[in-house]
Amino acid sequence: MAEKREIPPEVIERVKKLREEIEYHNYRYYVLDSPVISDAEYDALMRELKELEAKYPELVTPDSPTQRVGYPPAKEFRTVPHAIPMLSLDDAFSEEEVLDFDRRVKRFLNLPEDQDIEYTVEPKMDGLAVELVYEDGKFTVGSTRGDGYQGEDVTNNLKTIKSIPLRLFSTDGLPIPRLLEARGEVFMKKEDFKKLNEERLSRGEPPFANPRNAAAGSLRQLDPNVTAQRPLDIYFYGVGRVEGYEFKTQWEILQTLPKWGLKVNPYVRLVKNIREAIAYHHEMEKIRESLPYEIDGIVIKVNDLSLWEKLGTKARSPRYALAYKFPPTQVTTQVLDIIVQVGRTGAVTPVAILKPVQVGGVIVSRATLHNEDEIRRKDVRIGDWVLVQRAGEVIPEIVMVIKERRTGNEKPFKMPEVCPVCGTKLVRKPGEAVWRCPNRGCYGQLVRHILHFASRGAMDIEGLGTKVAEALVDRGLVQDVGDLYYLKVEDLLQLPGFALKKARNLYEAIQRSKKTTLARFLYALGIRHVGEVAAQLLAKHFKSLEAIKKASMADLLSVPGIGPEAARSVWEWFRNERNLKTLEKLLQAGITFEEEAEEAPAEKPLEGKTFVFTGALKSMTREEAKRRVQALGGRVASSVSRNVDYVVVGENPGSKYDRARALGLKMINEEEFLKLIGQKP
């Protein structure tokens, strides 16, 4: 049996000193975000500690900074009971519900309704709740919230999070408690979430749906070495059992935890009454998008801990705390059906009919499925439970299918072979993701063509909306847009809900639209690939409708900003007999063109901004959009990366859309893009 060697006292002292220094610098860097040494100096301290521990392995302890990684994978998570239950909070979604909470607290405490109660407020992190047990300052056990009474042992995984101290220390002489059960929320920052999803996509792995899922999935890895590769962080918000130190208020807890090296959200606040708590909620909702992490509301807690004991708890939640939630941006709902819609260009787009649900403060009952390929890629079926997301005006969209909830009764969707409106056989050109109805006389296309023709950027016919367009086509009053100018007041009186005044108003709006510009008229015609910008370029170059009509392919291609697709579409449109009849009808009705005022040269507001386009734009071709961005100082990238500032989402977007969403990039629709480039939608 080998003799136990004697370790020099100076080595033992040096190892102890190195650990203290490294933990202090971790605290400065990861908790205070205020390092006092360089990375190189920190690396030198860590290297020296590793060398000494390698030389004297008997000095290695579980709480050494070198032991944050390297634990062997576990076969399964063991269960850890919570000495004091980690209860969930009741939710509130309105001011009235929050005021009711305040009134209940006062009634329970026999306080007058006009007496103020002091509360603490803090952002409600959208992550995974955990409890960390420190005995004599040493981190011994960490667990998830689980069912509130017991959770999973994730000690070794939590040790990989560098903002978690393996040993508590006092920054201002405060005694360290003999026992401290610290509670916090593990989360992943938005930027780190983007990078992680980008890496997963590059390896062909499915992206996480949101930062919360990413954080939970990362912490619940059986192999701590996997968790160590994930950029997790934590904010502490409370305590369970404490021995050796006494707290009187929740605010004192929030002020004391950082003094022991435990990170607390910088936005925590003490407020005098419930009205100030509500004001804090509105304040946090305004800055929500600018925060580096996801929050889904605020947490309101009675500040005085002695009142916690009096208020007590219900079966699953405390009476002294409340989660005041923001409207959700992601929710779960069911796909009741999948239908297809026919656009004005004949594009047939699948749409999910959803069980109505509130997303981001708006009731959503439909979500775009973009095209047949996307349905296959996400495997969306009728009857599926899905995660739906809404962000800005680009969404709602289906993020993912919750396949665990399938019963076997779900039905796969099959794209129809014929147009659901007119029965014409659908076609899909090579290289395109979209199926189209080739029938120019299709009812669905005609209704949407009328709406496009009457839209603000085209002929600007006020009062001609979807229901009116459908009624005009249903009654056979309009068979092409030319017929609009031959309608009489008595014709309009046939429409549902039309009395004399309404009929006269629409008649007069149609008559007023006869005076327009060549550019607006060209755009109104709905020529494929000719948006507002292309229409302006053509009008400026050719000066007259007759010149455009007679232009050859070579003439059209000579127009700066007009690409081959747009040129061919224009050339073909003016050689189609049906189109020429409609055009003649419009001109005979009295359409006249006035000169358009020249726009002042634009500044370069997009300087340094990078754009990516996915899907078709209505107002211009992809090439035109690229030229506009470049003219305003921006650049257009061909692929999605985290360096992209804006992803412009048009009709039927492709795989770039999924990748951009997975990376959490800013996505804008066509209307928002037009505003950015200074063009009226």
Side-chain angles (χ1 to χ4, degrees):
M1 183 175 177
E3 286 187 21
K4 188 176 180 182
R5 63 172 169 172
E6 193 170 324
I7 302 171
E10 62 271 20
V11 171
I12 296 172
E13 186 59 32
R14 181 57 182 160
V15 166
K16 181 185 175 188
K17 184 71 175 170
L18 283 168
R19 287 174 182 164
E20 288 173 354
E21 282 192 52
I22 289 168
E23 284 294 359
Y24 173 71
H25 291 304
N26 279 341
Y27 169 73
R28 298 286 315 188
Y29 188 89
Y30 294 107
V31 178
L32 300 183
D33 197 22
S34 176
V36 290
I37 62 171
S38 67
D39 289 349
E41 290 172 292
Y42 177 88
D43 291 342
L45 293 173
M46 184 65 86
R47 189 163 52 250
E48 184 183 352
L49 179 59
K50 285 180 178 177
E51 288 170 357
L52 287 173
E53 288 184 346
K55 190 173 181 180
Y56 301 99
E58 54 266 56
L59 290 179
V60 178
T61 59
D63 64 330
S64 172
T66 62
Q67 299 304 296
R68 287 190 179 273
V69 293
Y71 296 96
K75 291 181 180 177
E76 61 181 14
F77 292 116
R78 74 180 183 92
T79 300
V80 177
H82 301 302
I84 298 175
M86 294 181 71
L87 300 176
S88 56
L89 300 180
D90 282 340
D91 292 335
F93 292 92
S94 69
E95 286 189 19
E96 191 51 44
E97 288 176 292
V98 177
L99 293 170
D100 280 343
F101 162 75
D102 182 62
R103 286 190 281 265
R104 284 196 304 273
V105 167
K106 289 170 183 172
R107 279 200 304 270
F108 214 89
L109 297 172
N110 293 315
L111 297 175
E113 200 164 300
D114 60 352
Q115 182 172 327
D116 283 345
I117 290 182
E118 208 171 45
Y119 293 100
T120 62
V121 287
E122 62 191 270
K124 186 178 183 301
M125 303 297 297
D126 197 11
L128 186 71
V130 294
E131 180 175 74
L132 282 71
V133 180
Y134 287 88
E135 297 180 61
D136 295 320
K138 178 182 167 185
F139 176 36
T140 55
V141 178
S143 57
T144 61
R145 191 183 80 85
D147 65 1
Y149 296 93
Q150 56 185 16
E152 293 173 326
D153 184 345
V154 287
T155 307
N156 292 337
N157 292 1
L158 286 167
K159 284 182 177 180
T160 69
I161 302 175
K162 291 180 180 173
S163 50
I164 292 177
L166 301 180
R167 183 176 283 277
L168 300 180
F169 54 91
S170 179
T171 57
D172 63 356
L174 271 181
I176 292 172
R178 192 197 68 73
L179 173 70
L180 174 69
E181 293 177 345
R183 294 176 173 180
E185 193 94 359
V186 172
F187 65 94
M188 188 177 290
K189 290 179 180 174
K190 294 174 185 175
E191 190 61 34
D192 291 329
F193 169 70
K194 290 180 191 177
K195 290 177 185 175
L196 175 62
N197 265 351
E198 187 174 40
E199 290 164 7
R200 289 177 69 82
L201 287 165
S202 69
R203 296 193 298 264
E205 297 173 358
F208 287 109
N210 50 53
R212 185 189 186 283
N213 285 7
S218 299
L219 192 62
R220 296 188 68 257
Q221 291 287 327
L222 289 171
D223 186 354
N225 291 288
V226 175
T227 307
Q229 303 303 313
R230 304 283 174 81
L232 298 177
D233 206 341
I234 190 169
Y235 278 133
F236 290 91
Y237 57 78
V239 297
R241 288 184 301 167
V242 182
E243 294 177 11
Y245 196 94
E246 188 175 347
F247 292 109
K248 291 187 173 153
T249 66
Q250 169 67 8
W251 185 245
E252 187 187 354
I253 292 172
L254 296 174
Q255 296 299 295
T256 303
L257 290 178
K259 295 174 182 176
W260 291 328
L262 300 169
K263 192 174 176 183
V264 168
N265 193 300
Y267 285 97
V268 297
R269 191 179 298 173
L270 180 64
V271 296
K272 294 175 185 175
N273 52 45
I274 201 67
R275 283 290 176 191
E276 286 192 7
I278 291 171
Y280 174 84
H281 176 274
H282 297 327
E283 181 185 327
M284 294 309 298
E285 191 169 18
K286 283 178 186 172
I287 66 168
R288 178 186 187 184
E289 295 302 320
S290 65
L291 294 174
Y293 43 76
E294 297 279 3
I295 64 173
D296 58 355
I298 69 165
V299 176
I300 305 170
K301 293 177 185 173
V302 172
N303 187 38
D304 188 338
L305 297 183
S306 68
L307 299 181
W308 286 24
E309 293 180 21
K310 293 178 182 177
L311 289 163
T313 63
K314 296 184 284 184
R316 304 290 299 184
S317 59
R319 292 191 180 94
Y320 50 78
L322 183 75
Y324 185 7
K325 305 288 278 292
F326 299 138
T329 55
Q330 284 189 341
V331 297
T332 302
T333 189
Q334 192 174 24
V335 178
L336 302 178
D337 198 2
I338 297 176
I339 63 168
V340 292
Q341 290 183 334
V342 184
R344 66 178 179 82
T345 62
V348 179
T349 307
V351 175
I353 305 300
L354 307 172
K355 193 173 187 179
V357 63
Q358 192 171 72
V359 190
V362 174
I363 298 295
V364 167
S365 58
R366 293 183 172 219
T368 179
L369 288 167
H370 302 299
N371 53 57
E372 184 182 23
D373 293 345
E374 169 144 317
I375 295 177
R376 280 210 196 100
R377 187 163 56 248
K378 291 182 177 176
D379 190 20
V380 182
R381 304 178 188 180
I382 298 166
D384 267 335
W385 285 88
V386 293
L387 186 66
V388 177
Q389 173 173 290
R390 180 179 181 271
E393 299 303 317
V394 177
I395 312 300
E397 59 145 349
I398 289 174
V399 178
M400 61 183 290
V401 174
I402 304 169
K403 294 183 179 177
E404 294 79 4
R405 294 189 68 171
R406 280 185 173 165
T407 63
N409 296 321
E410 295 76 17
K411 298 175 184 175
F413 170 76
K414 190 174 184 297
M415 200 73 183
E417 294 181 2
V418 298
C419 174
V421 176
C422 69
T424 304
K425 188 174 177 61
L426 299 179
V427 295
R428 180 176 175 178
K429 292 182 180 178
E432 286 193 357
V434 183
W435 285 91
R436 296 184 186 278
C437 170
N439 176 15
R440 294 286 183 92
C442 173
Y443 170 92
Q445 291 183 55
L446 178 56
V447 168
R448 280 161 184 78
H449 190 194
I450 292 169
L451 290 171
H452 171 76
F453 186 85
S455 66
R456 190 175 298 176
M459 303 303 280
D460 194 15
I461 303 174
E462 191 176 347
L464 210 170
T466 305
K467 288 182 179 177
V468 174
E470 288 175 347
L472 289 169
V473 175
D474 283 340
R475 283 159 175 74
L477 295 169
V478 173
Q479 294 178 19
D480 61 43
V481 292
D483 291 336
L484 289 170
Y485 293 97
Y486 296 88
L487 293 169
K488 299 180 179 64
V489 172
E490 48 267 36
D491 295 325
L492 298 175
L493 284 170
Q494 299 178 36
L495 305 183
F498 269 67
L500 187 59
K501 185 178 179 182
K502 192 173 181 180
R504 278 180 177 165
N505 286 344
L506 179 54
Y507 174 80
E508 287 168 7
I510 293 171
Q511 297 309 307
R512 280 196 304 273
S513 74
K514 289 180 180 180
K515 191 176 182 181
T516 186
T517 65
L518 178 57
R520 289 171 75 94
F521 182 72
L522 285 173
Y523 173 58
L525 293 176
I527 303 169
R528 197 174 171 203
H529 301 304
V530 176
E532 288 182 76
V533 174
Q536 288 166 1
L537 294 172
L538 290 165
K540 188 176 180 181
H541 183 86
F542 289 104
K543 309 294 185 189
S544 73
L545 185 62
E546 194 61 29
I548 297 171
K549 215 172 144 184
K550 292 178 179 176
S552 66
M553 271 293 291
D555 294 333
L556 292 163
L557 285 168
S558 71
V559 181
I562 297 296
E565 283 185 330
R568 178 155 294 281
S569 287
V570 173
W571 188 83
E572 289 178 349
W573 196 95
F574 283 102
R575 277 146 192 81
N576 179 285
E577 190 177 337
R578 183 189 181 97
N579 293 338
L580 291 176
K581 284 181 179 177
T582 301
L583 183 64
E584 188 60 30
K585 194 184 292 185
L586 287 166
L587 294 175
Q588 286 182 356
I591 300 288
T592 57
F593 308 123
E594 56 187 11
E595 288 293 319
E596 196 159 14
E598 288 285 326
E599 289 185 13
E603 298 293 324
K604 295 206 170 184
L606 304 183
E607 193 79 53
K609 300 294 183 186
T610 301
F611 288 72
V612 161
F613 292 88
T614 179
L617 300 178
K618 296 176 185 175
S619 60
M620 64 187 82
T621 64
R622 184 79 58 82
E623 188 59 34
E624 292 170 56
K626 181 178 179 180
R627 290 176 190 273
R628 289 297 298 270
V629 168
Q630 290 170 338
L632 296 173
R635 64 179 291 268
V636 176
S638 58
S639 60
V640 173
S641 75
R642 56 188 177 86
N643 297 320
V644 171
D645 297 288
Y646 295 100
V647 178
V648 183
V649 182
E651 289 182 343
N652 301 299
S655 59
K656 289 179 188 175
Y657 177 82
D658 290 333
R659 185 172 173 80
R661 182 190 58 75
L663 295 178
L665 299 179
K666 183 173 180 62
M667 293 191 281
I668 59 175
N669 61 15
E670 185 170 354
E671 184 178 336
E672 291 166 320
F673 171 66
L674 292 174
K675 286 178 184 174
L676 269 182
I677 64 174
Q679 182 174 316
K680 287 184 179 180

